Amino acid sequence: MLNQALACSLGQFSQPENRPVTNYHPNIWGDRFLSYTPEDKVTLAGKEKQLEDLKGEIRMKLKKTTGNTCQQLKFIDAVQRLGLAYHFEIEIEQVLQHIHNSYLNGDDMEGDIYNVALHYGYSL
């Protein structure tokens, strides 16, 4: 029974037509992504250590409270625009709290419109 159904279903299909062959332009990437080999554990561990070292440098720059308020806000803005702020949420919150407290204590900041806009954007 199964053989008859298989024979009937195969008989319904006609021979494939000869379709024209298209010549696509070669890919500019070549086969780089087709022949991917994962990195070994030593190289991966080295890259992870380098990543943690770079994160540490950013944390140190964020924790420096002796710097100029406008420079701190510009640095935080750059970190957020790069999409890295989720790594440094605690440090950014501490810096913004320090800036807010210094502003409430009467310390004035530079008055150009860019710096005022940065300060306004981060003081909620």
Side-chain angles (χ1 to χ4, degrees):
M1 178 81 173
L2 181 64
N3 289 336
Q4 287 177 340
L6 186 60
C8 288
S9 63
L10 289 177
Q12 293 176 355
F13 295 111
S14 62
Q15 294 295 327
E17 299 175 16
N18 289 334
R19 301 174 97 185
V21 178
T22 57
N23 293 324
Y24 294 108
H25 297 289
N27 190 349
I28 61 171
W29 299 105
D31 61 349
R32 174 181 292 171
F33 299 109
L34 296 177
S35 62
Y36 172 75
T37 55
E39 297 175 345
D40 59 347
K41 292 181 181 180
V42 175
T43 306
L44 189 59
K47 286 186 178 183
E48 287 177 358
K49 183 181 181 330
Q50 182 183 14
L51 178 66
E52 290 303 320
D53 291 343
L54 291 172
K55 283 183 184 179
E57 286 182 31
I58 300 296
R59 282 190 177 92
M60 287 180 57
K61 285 185 179 183
L62 282 171
K63 288 183 180 181
K64 287 183 181 179
T65 57
T66 59
N68 186 0
T69 303
C70 296
Q71 289 175 345
Q72 289 175 332
L73 287 174
K74 288 177 186 177
F75 186 71
I76 291 171
D77 188 50
V79 168
Q80 287 185 339
R81 286 176 183 253
L82 288 172
L84 302 173
Y86 67 95
H87 290 289
F88 312 106
E89 288 178 347
I90 296 170
E91 292 84 1
I92 289 174
E93 185 64 35
Q94 290 171 352
V95 170
L96 292 177
Q97 188 63 44
H98 175 75
I99 291 172
H100 181 72
N101 291 340
S102 67
Y103 184 74
L104 290 178
N105 291 337
D107 297 339
D108 199 9
M109 57 186 301
E110 295 177 22
D112 68 345
I113 194 153
Y114 178 74
N115 292 324
V116 172
L118 272 179
H119 185 66
Y120 177 74
Y122 288 113
S123 61
L124 297 174

